[in-house]
Amino acid sequence: MTSDNSNIFDDLGLNPVINGRSWVTILGGSRMVPEVSQAMYEAADRFIDFNELNKLAGERIAQYTGAESGLVVSGASGGLLMQAAACMAGSDPDLIMQLPDTTGMKDEILIHNKHRFGYEVCYRTAGANLKEWGAGDKPLTEQLRSAIDDQTAAVAYVFGPWLSCELSLQEVVAIAHERDVPVLVDGAAMLPPAENLRRYIVEGADMVTFSGGKGVRGPQSTGILAGRADLIEAARLNMSPYAGVGRASKVAKEEIAGLLAALERFVSMDHEEEWATWRQWSETIVDAGKDIIGLKSVIEDGDPNRQGPTAVFYFEENWDGPSSSVIQQRLAAGSISIHVGTGSYADELYVSPVALEPGEAVIVAEALRAEFSSNN
Ligand SMILES: *Cc1c(COP(=O)(O)O)cnc(C)c1O
């Protein structure tokens, strides 16, 4: 299938953007690989039994993740919503239709104070109350143990840039499981590396969710949910094609087909080769800051807070050119709109290579060079 859909964007008068900020939803997520578009196109024109499709897709996800069961959800956000619904209402038809009113159900999800994040609203959408732990003076293990009570529906554990607590997932799992409380992992942006597909399940998570539309490069609206069979079954019953709280985050058959195609590619591709290509692009980009006074230009490779081997320009004391945010704005407003990041660690500008296409690194480098040598 040729990619004709850009014509609609052209008709609307939308300018294409070079994405140096990684798989961010605000720029369109990721670029679907051709086998994904093809799978969606082929799925679009036929009817199937949706429950059968969910079951078979779930079996595939179970194979890829090593979990008992799997489900395609609407983004990792949809995964968080379904995790919460599954842990509160389970598979009970009346409780499912009662949510987000949790009267009579366990409805607290424990979250470490260093794991608080914007997407926790997805847990609350299902009706859960978040109960924070981790800020006290006692050892964390003790704090977690005493935070669990008869209202605890689950313990959340979030993997993400800038979010980390001192207790490992295994330690949290061990304590939660003493009381038969399930542990819910958000690993939305943790793929690649592909090993993470299995890692959290091996470490004892009861359910884990990943974005399908970030590094996996499936449809932007998809997510992966994997875990214990009874909980995944509960999640399935709380969402479309039924009318529970998850109905509003429907996943279409085309999206399921697309995600499966993306996953198949993702688990069989050469990730080292892809990383090497990203690294090469970052070398091209970081060269734009070479020999410029007041700039420290480096590639940060393997930093858990960065997506891929990232070109970073630190603005030092003796930098007297335009500020990082001025450069960022000018690049975005240029005749070729280039989006870069600023300010993760310090006064810095960064370019993540993971959403670039061949040829774009050179364009980004040239634009940066022009900005770095302008003196206002
Ligand atoms: C991106 C992200 C999400 C949301 O994922 P979607 O697939 O866009 O719904 C949730 N949690 C974390 C940590 C993320 O990075």
Side-chain angles (χ1 to χ4, degrees):
M1 193 176 74
T2 55
S3 163
D4 281 340
N5 47 7
S6 61
N7 292 342
I8 291 176
F9 291 167
D10 292 343
D11 284 352
L12 291 170
L14 270 172
N15 289 324
V17 158
I18 291 182
N19 178 4
R21 285 189 47 203
S22 147
W23 304 296
V24 290
T25 300
I26 197 141
L27 296 177
S30 60
R31 219 180 276 259
M32 290 198 301
V33 285
E35 42 275 56
V36 172
S37 314
Q38 184 66 28
M40 293 180 79
Y41 176 77
E42 286 167 6
D45 192 30
R46 43 173 108 172
F47 293 109
I48 37 73
D49 177 328
F50 200 88
N51 287 333
E52 277 294 300
L53 172 61
N54 253 348
K55 184 167 156 273
L56 294 168
E59 284 170 10
R60 283 275 178 93
I61 290 175
Q63 283 167 19
Y64 294 136
T65 57
E68 286 173 12
S69 192
L71 184 66
V72 182
V73 287
S74 63
S77 309
L80 301 178
L81 174 69
M82 300 329 300
Q83 286 177 343
C87 290
M88 297 188 299
S91 297
D92 182 306
D94 296 328
L95 298 183
I96 286 172
M97 292 312 288
Q98 189 189 305
L99 287 181
D101 172 355
T102 60
T103 309
M105 307 178 209
K106 294 182 182 189
D107 65 354
E108 280 177 2
I109 296 184
L110 301 190
I111 187 160
H112 188 277
N113 69 328
K114 290 187 183 158
H115 283 173
R116 300 302 300 254
F117 69 140
Y119 299 105
E120 66 186 40
V121 71
C122 303
Y123 291 133
R124 289 195 286 111
T125 304
N129 292 311
L130 292 167
K131 184 167 150 189
E132 185 178 299
W133 67 282
D137 301 328
K138 299 215 174 94
L140 279 177
T141 47
E142 235 176 89
Q143 289 185 50
L144 177 56
R145 244 183 223 109
S146 57
I148 296 174
D149 60 27
D150 59 7
Q151 277 307 300
T152 310
V155 178
Y157 199 100
V158 186
F159 288 94
W162 318 108
L163 301 169
S164 64
C165 83
E166 291 80 12
L167 276 196
S168 68
L169 173 60
Q170 292 102 314
E171 289 169 308
V172 167
V173 164
I175 293 168
H177 285 182
E178 288 167 6
R179 302 279 291 274
D180 286 331
V181 171
V183 175
L184 311 176
V185 167
D186 178 354
M190 302 305 285
L191 302 174
E195 300 86 77
N196 283 349
L197 272 171
R198 294 178 171 273
R199 180 180 146 201
Y200 310 122
I201 295 294
V202 168
E203 292 178 356
D206 296 274
M207 282 198 274
V208 53
T209 190
F210 301 102
S211 294
K214 291 180 180 168
V216 176
R217 295 183 64 181
Q220 234 292 275
S221 52
T222 58
I224 300 157
L225 187 64
R228 244 168 62 189
D230 61 323
L231 290 173
I232 297 295
E233 175 63 2
R236 185 180 76 81
L237 295 172
N238 274 275
M239 68 180 276
S240 178
Y242 306 112
V245 281
R247 175 66 187 213
S249 50
K250 178 190 277 186
V251 181
K253 63 185 185 303
E254 298 80 13
E255 296 171 303
I256 296 178
L259 178 65
L260 290 184
L263 268 173
E264 190 177 319
R265 165 188 174 273
F266 184 76
V267 297
S268 54
M269 68 180 285
D270 186 339
H271 288 277
E272 275 177 31
E273 186 185 304
E274 181 177 63
W275 198 276
T277 303
W278 288 340
R279 173 127 197 149
Q280 239 173 28
W281 291 343
S282 284
E283 276 160 12
T284 299
I285 292 167
V286 90
D287 198 56
K290 213 173 82 184
D291 300 331
I292 294 186
I293 292 164
L295 276 190
K296 193 177 109 194
S297 314
V298 289
I299 295 178
E300 294 187 357
D301 197 339
D303 181 319
N305 293 319
R306 305 227 188 246
Q307 219 56 265
T310 302
V312 189
F313 305 93
Y314 289 100
F315 293 70
E316 302 189 306
E317 298 270 294
N318 54 344
W319 169 252
D320 67 353
S323 72
S324 55
S325 58
V326 164
I327 295 178
Q328 183 186 40
Q329 284 161 23
R330 282 192 197 155
L331 289 172
S335 59
I336 301 174
S337 177
I338 300 171
H339 287 248
V340 300
T342 50
S344 293
Y345 283 102
D347 189 11
E348 66 170 66
L349 187 147
Y350 69 87
V351 182
S352 165
V354 301
L356 295 179
E357 284 287 282
E360 290 183 343
V362 174
I363 300 172
V364 173
E366 275 171 14
L368 280 172
R369 213 169 267 127
E371 289 300 334
F372 291 154
S373 53
S374 86
N375 47 17
N376 52 61

